[in-house]
Amino acid sequence: MADPFLSIQNVKKSFGNVAVVKDFNLDVGAGEFVSFLGPSGCGKTTMLRIVAGFEEPSAGKVMIGGKDVTGLKPNQRNIGMVFQAYALFPNLTVAQNIGFGLKVAGMPKAEAQARIAEMLNIIKLPDFGDRYPYQLSGGQQQRIALARALAPKPKLLLLDEPLSALDAKVRISLREEIRSIQKKLGITTIFVTHDQEEALSMSDRIVVMNEGRADQTGTPFEIYNRPSTKFVANFVGTLNVLEGTVSDATTGTVKINAEEIGLKGKLNGSKSGDTLSLALRPEAISLGRRPGNDANLTGQIADVHFLGSVIRVRVGVGQNFVSLDTFNNSSTPPPAVGEKTEISFSSGDVLVLH
Amino acid sequence: MTQASISTTADAARSAPPEAKSGFRLPTHWLGVAPFFIFALMFLILPTLYLVVGAFQNDQGQYTLDNIRQLFADQSIRDSYWVSIKISFWSATIGALVGLAMAIAIVRGGLPAWVRSSTMTFSGVASNFAGVPLAFAFLATLGRLGLVTVILRDVFGINIYAMGFNVLTSWGLIIVYLFFQIPLMIVIITPAIDGLKREWGEAAATLGATTWQYWRMVVIPVLWPSFLGTVILLFANSFGAIATAYAFTGSSLNIVPIKLYAQIRGDVLHNPHLGYALAFGMIVVTGLANIFYIWFRTRSERWLK
Amino acid sequence: MKTGRFWAWLVFGLGTAYFFIPLIATFEFSLRMRRGEYSFDAYRVVLGDSRFQETFAYSVTVAVFTILLGVLLVVPTAYWIRLRMPHLRPVVEFITLLPLVIPAIVIVFGYIRMYGSNSPLPFLGSARGTDALLVIGYATLALPYMYRAVDTGLRTIDVRTLTEAAQILGAGWTTIIARVILPNVLIAVLSGAFLTFAIVIGEFTLASLLNRPAFGPYLQNIGANRAYEPAALAVIAFAITWGCMSVIQILARFAPKSANRPN
C-alpha cells in the first residue's frame, strides 16, 4: 500500500509473562473497512485497544495519518469507538450523548445542535433526541453509540464487537446499517468480531487472528476460498475434510479410499505416500456428476436436513462424512437416506491443508 | 440506637418475582397476616398517631396549632432543633464525603482485593456500633485523659485542651457520629460506584474528554442522586440518635432527642402537648428525609440498571 | 495510574487510622486502671460486678424473647404474603420500614402515653407487663432487619413452587412449614436473629425510658460514675457486636443459593 492511513508496525504486547499480541503488522488504507476476526483470547481486542490508546504496546508503533501516535493518550487521537455494552452515559439524553464529543471540543451550541440532528437522521432515529438510554432497546442504544462516536468526525472508527450483545434479527439489520453509514462517510474502520459471518459480510479486508498473530490478511473472498492455514480454513466457514494419500506425486494423483482424483499443481512438494487433509466447502460439492467437475467419488446418503431454501445432505464416503448443500427444488424430491450416490467437485476447489 | 444499612431493601422490592394475581379470597386468608397487622397497628402506628394527634390538641382536647407554633416560638426548642439539624447536617455531609472517598479508593483505587473485602466487613460492623459504648471509646481517645490527647501533649507538645478543644461539644459529637456515618455511607454507596462502567470512561476518552471532563459530565452526575440520597439518610440516622449523645454529654447538650428524653422523664416543658409536638417535629424531619432518600434512590437505580 | 493508587492508599490509610485509633485507645485506656502498669483490673471489676451480671443476663433474656417474638411475627407473615397475598407486599414492606423512619424515642414515648397504668391495656402497670412492652418495642425496632432477612431467604428458595411440590406429595401444612420452609430459611432467620441480638443487647433509649434494669442503662450509669470500667465495657460491647456480625457473615456462606432463578 502506497500511503496507508493506519499503520501498525511490529506491535507486541505482553501482560506479565503472557504474550497476547506477537509481532503484529497491518496497513489500512483511507476509507477501508478492516475486520479483526478470531476466537476469544486471540488478541484482537487487545490489538484494538492498542490502536485506541488504552493499552501501550510493549514494542512497535502505531501511526495514524502518517503521525506516530504510540505515546498519545486516547483523548488526543481523534478516534471514535463503539463498545459491546453500548456504554452510553446514563445521565445524559440521546442528544447530549451524541453531543458529548462536540461539547468537549468546545463546538458552539448552534453548530453542535445541527450536527446532532444530522447524526440522528443518519442513524434513522430523528425523534429520539430527548430520550434517555434506559428508555431504548439494545439496537437503538448501539445506533446512538455509533452516532456519538461519529459526531466529532473522527478519522478512525473502532468497533469492539458492537453487535454481540444484540439478538439475531437486530444484529443483521444493524450490520448492514453500519456498513452503509461507513461507506457513505468514507471513514476508515477497524471492526473486531468473533463472528465470521459478520466479518465476511461487512469487510473490505479481514485479518484472521490466532494466538496473537495475524494468520491471514485478505479480502473476504480470499479468506473464504483460499485460506492459507488450517486454522483459517477451520475457523471461517464450514469445511469437509477428507483424508487422502498421495499415490503419484508427479501426476498429482491422490487416493481417497479406493478412488483416485487428480490434484495437479496443488501438492506443494508432497511426496508419494504422504497423507494429506483435503478440505472442501459444502457449496463446492455437487450431488451426482456435473459438467466441469473433474473429480468424482461414490458414497451413501447418511442424513438429509431440510432447511427451507437449501437442503443439506450428509454423504458417507468411506470413513469420512461430507456435507453438501443443494437448492430446494419443488419438482424433485429430496434424496433418501441409504441411497447410493456419486458426488463430484472441481479439483480447483480443493484446499490442501498442511 | 443501632443502625444497619437499608441498602438492600429496594433490591428486594425490585427483583421480587412476579406473582400470580390472587382472585377472590375468603376472609380466612387474612388470618395469616392478621397478627402482623394487629401488632403493627398497636405498637407502631397507633402510638405514633397518638402523639401526632396530641400535638394538635390542647389540654381540653380541642384541636389547635398552638403547640406547633410554640415549637418555633420557644427559644430553647428552636435552638435544640437548630443544634440537632447542625450536628446531623455536618455529620452526614462529612461522613458522606469521607465515605465516598473511601469507597472510591477501595473500588477504583487499584488496591488489593483484601482491602475491599475487609473494609466492607468492618463497615458492616462499625455502622452497627453506635450507642453508649461508642461514646466511651471516644472519651478514651479524645477526652482529657484520652490516648490521643495524651500523646499529642506529651510527645508532640500540643495541648489541644489548652487550645480550646473539648470533645464534649457539638463538634465532638460530630466526630463521634462519623464513626457510624462513614461506614454506613461506604456500605450504601459502594454498589453505586460498582455501577460505574469502565467503558464509560473509555468512551469519554475516545470522544476527546479529559479525566476531569469525564468526572464533571458523567461520574459526578451519575453518583449525585445516590450520594444526595445517602446524605439525607445519614442525616435522619443521626437526627434520631440519642444514646451516644446522652452517654457522651449527659443532658447538657441541647439537641431534640435529649430534650424529648427529658420531657418524657419529667415534663420539663410543663405542657404534655408541647412534648407531643416535639415528637411530631422529629417525625416530620426524619419522614421528609426518608421520602427524599427513596426519591433519589429510585432515580439512580433507573440509571444504573 | 501510579498517582491514583497513591491517593487510594492515602485515603484508605487515613480512614483506617480514624477507625482504629479509638479502638486502640479504648483498649489501652481499659488497661490503665492500676497506676503505673497495664492490667486487666477494669475487666475483673466489671465482670465481677453483680449489677453487670444481672443487667447483662436481663438483656440477653429480653433479646431471646425479642427474637422469638420477631420470628413468630415475621416468618408466617412473610411466607403468607409470598404465597397467597402478593398484592399486600408493598403495604407490609412499607410498615416494616417505618421503624427506620420514626425514631425509637418517639415510639417509646407513644407506648408510655398509650399503655400507662390507667389505660385499657395497662402494660406499664406491672413489672412483667413493662418487660413485655420492652420486648415488643425491641421487636418493632428489629422489624426492618428481621423482615428483610426472612423475605430475602424466602425469595431465594421460591416458596410457592416448594409449597406446591410438597402439597402434591401429600404434605399437610404443619409438615410444609416445619419440614420444608423453616429448614430452608433457617439461615436467613438466624442472620436476622443475630442482628436483632446486636441491636437489643446494649440498647439504651427504650430500656431507660421504661425503667428496666437492662445492660444499656447500666452502661450509661457506669459511664457517668467511673473512669476505666466504661472503656472495658466498650471493648466488651464491641466484641459482642463484632461476634454477631461475624456469625452473620459466616451464616451467609451456608445460605442456600437459588437453584431455579438468578438472585
Side-chain angles (χ1 to χ4, degrees):
Chain A
M1 205 169 296
D3 198 8
F5 178 74
L6 167 70
S7 178
I8 302 169
Q9 300 171 3
N10 305 102
V11 165
K12 297 187 178 90
K13 177 72 187 174
S14 307
F15 294 108
N17 291 327
V18 187
V20 183
V21 176
K22 305 165 189 160
D23 200 26
F24 190 93
N25 286 284
L26 180 71
D27 284 344
V28 180
E32 207 181 356
F33 190 114
V34 175
S35 293
F36 292 177
L37 174 65
S40 57
C42 70
K44 57 188 192 299
T45 294
T46 308
M47 196 53 241
L48 189 80
R49 293 174 61 82
I50 290 172
V51 175
F54 295 126
E55 310 282 354
E56 215 175 310
S58 313
K61 61 180 176 177
V62 177
M63 317 260 294
I64 298 177
K67 208 174 98 197
D68 187 349
V69 298
T70 316
L72 286 186
K73 288 188 172 149
N75 58 0
Q76 299 162 325
R77 295 193 178 195
N78 194 13
I79 47 175
M81 186 155 173
V82 176
F83 300 83
Q84 179 174 347
Y86 325 136
L88 292 177
F89 306 127
N91 58 315
L92 303 180
T93 62
V94 165
Q96 287 168 330
N97 262 288
I98 296 175
F100 187 91
L102 310 175
K103 192 172 173 187
V104 162
M107 182 184 277
K109 248 201 173 124
E111 203 179 325
Q113 293 295 340
R115 179 73 180 148
I116 292 165
E118 185 190 342
M119 291 317 298
L120 283 169
N121 274 323
I122 290 180
I123 57 167
K124 298 184 189 116
L125 294 172
D127 301 324
F128 280 63
D130 292 331
R131 302 222 191 161
Y132 281 90
Y134 71 90
Q135 298 169 312
L136 305 176
S137 72
Q140 289 168 335
Q141 289 193 52
Q142 199 58 298
R143 274 144 80 190
I144 307 292
L146 180 68
R148 180 181 66 178
L150 292 172
K153 302 194 175 160
K155 288 189 237 148
L156 181 61
L157 179 64
L158 307 178
L159 307 170
D160 186 6
E161 306 232 9
L163 305 172
S164 303
L166 304 170
D167 50 38
K169 252 200 177 132
V170 181
R171 211 180 303 168
I172 291 172
S173 74
L174 193 55
R175 82 180 180 214
E176 284 160 6
E177 202 171 329
I178 289 178
R179 177 59 162 157
S180 83
I181 292 172
Q182 185 268 338
K183 271 187 173 154
K184 189 154 64 186
L185 302 179
I187 183 168
T188 314
T189 302
I190 305 287
F191 177 81
V192 162
T193 183
H194 61 264
D195 185 321
Q196 37 141 333
E197 202 180 304
E198 279 172 13
L200 291 169
S201 66
M202 294 169 81
S203 319
D204 293 318
R205 277 195 301 155
I206 298 174
V207 181
V208 183
M209 289 187 69
N210 180 28
E211 294 179 349
R213 279 202 182 80
D215 256 34
Q216 187 178 1
T217 304
T219 64
F221 187 84
E222 288 166 347
I223 295 284
Y224 188 83
N225 294 311
R226 287 194 284 283
S228 63
T229 68
K230 203 167 184 169
F231 174 82
V232 175
N234 270 313
F235 191 76
V236 182
T238 312
L239 212 57
N240 295 301
V241 178
L242 294 164
E243 298 295 326
T245 319
V246 181
S247 49
D248 188 345
T250 48
T251 58
T253 316
V254 176
K255 195 167 173 183
I256 299 170
N257 301 325
E259 293 164 293
E260 287 191 331
I261 59 170
L263 291 176
K264 198 167 167 69
K266 290 208 139 201
L267 297 184
N268 286 349
S270 298
K271 294 184 292 291
S272 302
D274 283 0
T275 309
L276 292 178
S277 292
L278 308 176
L280 276 164
R281 300 285 183 203
E283 63 271 22
I285 310 173
S286 308
L287 212 51
R289 288 182 185 254
R290 233 349 117 73
N293 284 353
D294 54 357
N296 302 300
L297 294 171
T298 52
Q300 189 173 21
I301 307 276
D303 235 331
V304 179
H305 292 280
F306 188 74
L307 303 176
S309 63
V310 164
I311 300 169
R312 178 155 287 194
V313 183
R314 246 157 67 89
V315 181
V317 180
Q319 305 295 316
N320 305 300
F321 285 94
V322 171
S323 284
L324 59 92
D325 292 343
T326 66
F327 284 110
N328 179 22
N329 184 342
S330 56
S331 56
T332 352
V337 174
E339 222 173 274
K340 288 254 182 229
T341 186
E342 266 192 310
I343 59 169
S344 67
F345 48 91
S346 156
S347 61
D349 289 335
V350 175
L351 309 165
V352 180
L353 304 177
H354 299 278
Chain B
M1 239 316 273
T2 344
Q3 310 280 348
S5 86
I6 65 164
S7 60
T8 51
T9 321
D11 302 20
R14 179 157 43 85
S15 46
E19 307 266 4
K21 274 262 175 284
S22 48
F24 176 75
R25 291 286 170 214
L26 289 170
T28 50
H29 276 93
W30 286 88
L31 287 178
V33 288
F36 174 83
F37 281 106
I38 291 169
F39 181 92
L41 201 65
M42 279 181 66
F43 300 109
L44 186 58
I45 294 165
L46 285 182
T48 311
L49 276 183
Y50 186 97
L51 299 181
V52 172
V53 172
F56 292 93
Q57 283 177 327
N58 61 15
D59 286 341
Q60 284 78 47
Q62 294 155 320
Y63 287 96
T64 172
L65 286 174
D66 273 356
N67 303 313
I68 309 297
R69 218 169 285 137
Q70 190 89 50
L71 284 183
F72 295 95
D74 185 313
Q75 178 72 36
S76 158
I77 293 178
R78 211 170 54 204
D79 283 353
S80 70
Y81 270 100
W82 184 237
V83 174
S84 265
I85 288 173
K86 202 178 76 180
I87 290 175
S88 304
F89 174 81
W90 285 112
S91 79
T93 311
I94 299 171
L97 286 172
V98 176
L100 178 68
M102 288 194 69
I104 290 174
I106 59 168
V107 177
R108 287 291 139 112
L111 302 184
W114 62 264
V115 170
R116 178 185 172 142
S117 58
S118 51
T119 306
M120 292 309 286
T121 310
F122 182 84
S123 298
V125 179
S127 60
N128 280 288
F129 186 64
V132 180
L134 183 62
F136 296 166
F138 273 85
L139 285 172
T141 310
L142 287 168
R144 272 177 203 282
L145 290 173
L147 185 67
V148 171
T149 314
V150 170
I151 289 178
L152 282 176
R153 190 189 62 204
D154 296 350
V155 181
F156 297 98
I158 307 167
N159 189 338
I160 50 171
Y161 273 79
M163 294 161 72
F165 176 83
N166 187 352
V167 77
L168 303 178
T169 58
S170 344
W171 273 103
L173 195 60
I174 290 169
I175 295 176
V176 178
Y177 279 4
L178 290 179
F179 200 88
F180 56 81
Q181 298 280 52
I182 295 172
L184 191 53
M185 179 71 182
I186 294 176
V187 167
I188 299 180
I189 205 76
T190 299
I193 296 171
D194 278 330
L196 293 171
K197 299 208 177 68
R198 194 177 66 160
E199 285 94 339
W200 295 344
E202 294 181 348
T206 57
L207 291 167
T210 61
T211 309
W212 165 236
Q213 282 172 320
Y214 166 58
W215 273 72
R216 186 167 56 81
M217 294 167 74
V218 180
V219 176
I220 294 173
V222 167
L223 286 182
W224 186 239
S226 313
F227 179 80
L228 219 54
T230 318
V231 169
I232 291 165
L233 191 74
L234 298 188
F235 180 91
N237 191 24
S238 66
F239 193 84
I242 168 170
T244 313
Y246 191 77
F248 207 50
T249 65
S251 46
S252 68
L253 200 61
N254 184 23
I255 59 174
V256 184
I258 286 183
K259 201 167 205 74
L260 186 58
Y261 184 86
Q263 166 69 11
I264 297 169
R265 291 231 112 161
D267 194 16
V268 290
L269 301 171
H270 309 295
N271 176 359
H273 290 276
L274 188 53
Y276 300 157
L278 202 60
F280 173 69
M282 286 188 79
I283 300 173
V284 168
V285 173
T286 54
L288 280 179
N290 274 276
I291 289 170
F292 279 117
Y293 168 70
I294 291 166
W295 187 66
F296 280 121
R297 207 185 158 79
T298 335
R299 249 180 88 113
S300 70
E301 265 169 12
R302 203 174 58 184
W303 284 350
L304 298 175
K305 251 186 300 196
Chain C
M1 278 289 134
K2 280 275 146 55
T3 57
R5 189 166 306 178
F6 167 77
W7 285 110
W9 276 117
L10 185 73
V11 167
F12 176 71
L14 287 176
T16 311
Y18 170 77
F19 285 101
F20 278 87
I21 287 172
L23 298 179
I24 295 165
T26 310
F27 185 63
E28 196 266 355
F29 202 84
S30 73
L31 301 179
R32 269 203 251 167
M33 193 173 200
R34 200 178 292 173
R35 213 160 271 285
E37 60 170 326
Y38 285 141
S39 72
F40 285 98
D41 283 4
Y43 294 89
R44 205 168 302 131
V45 172
V46 163
L47 295 175
D49 184 355
S50 63
R51 283 204 303 142
F52 168 84
Q53 296 159 3
E54 285 157 18
T55 56
F56 193 76
Y58 178 85
S59 281
V60 170
T61 316
V62 167
V64 169
F65 279 106
T66 304
I67 290 166
L68 284 178
L69 176 62
V71 171
L72 286 178
L73 204 57
V74 164
V75 175
T77 309
Y79 173 63
W80 204 243
I81 291 289
R82 282 238 163 240
L83 193 68
R84 284 291 150 84
M85 309 178 105
H87 55 285
L88 283 182
R89 265 174 67 82
V91 182
V92 172
E93 256 171 22
F94 177 75
I95 290 173
T96 60
L97 285 178
L98 279 180
L100 291 178
V101 180
I102 306 167
I105 189 168
V106 173
I107 294 176
V108 70
F109 190 17
Y111 287 0
I112 290 169
R113 287 303 142 100
M114 260 188 83
Y115 300 114
S117 30
N118 299 326
S119 67
L121 270 173
F123 276 104
L124 298 171
S126 66
R128 277 286 154 268
T130 315
D131 288 341
L133 197 58
L134 185 64
V135 167
I136 287 169
Y138 284 158
T140 309
L141 292 191
L143 202 56
Y145 309 105
M146 192 56 117
Y147 186 84
R148 182 152 32 94
V150 172
D151 195 51
T152 312
L154 288 175
R155 171 158 46 98
T156 347
I157 61 166
D158 189 3
V159 273
R160 181 181 284 258
T161 317
L162 271 189
T163 303
E164 284 166 1
Q167 279 174 329
I168 287 165
L169 293 170
W173 280 111
T174 21
T175 320
I176 292 175
I177 299 268
R179 306 271 310 267
V180 179
I181 301 303
L182 263 186
N184 275 302
V185 294
L186 191 63
I187 301 280
V189 169
L190 281 176
S191 298
F194 277 99
L195 197 54
T196 306
F197 189 87
I199 292 170
V200 169
I201 197 70
E203 204 280 339
F204 168 75
T205 315
L206 262 65
S208 161
L209 285 172
L210 293 177
N211 277 319
R212 296 321 296 152
F215 191 51
Y218 166 78
L219 285 175
Q220 194 275 329
N221 186 273
I222 291 290
N225 299 303
R226 300 291 185 82
Y228 300 103
E229 288 89 336
L233 284 167
V235 171
I236 293 170
F238 190 77
I240 293 170
T241 311
W242 185 267
C244 287
M245 301 311 277
S246 316
V247 171
I248 292 171
Q249 297 265 338
I250 293 165
L251 284 173
R253 275 179 222 158
F254 291 104
K257 295 285 177 287
S258 169
N260 46 7
R261 68 170 55 139
N263 250 333

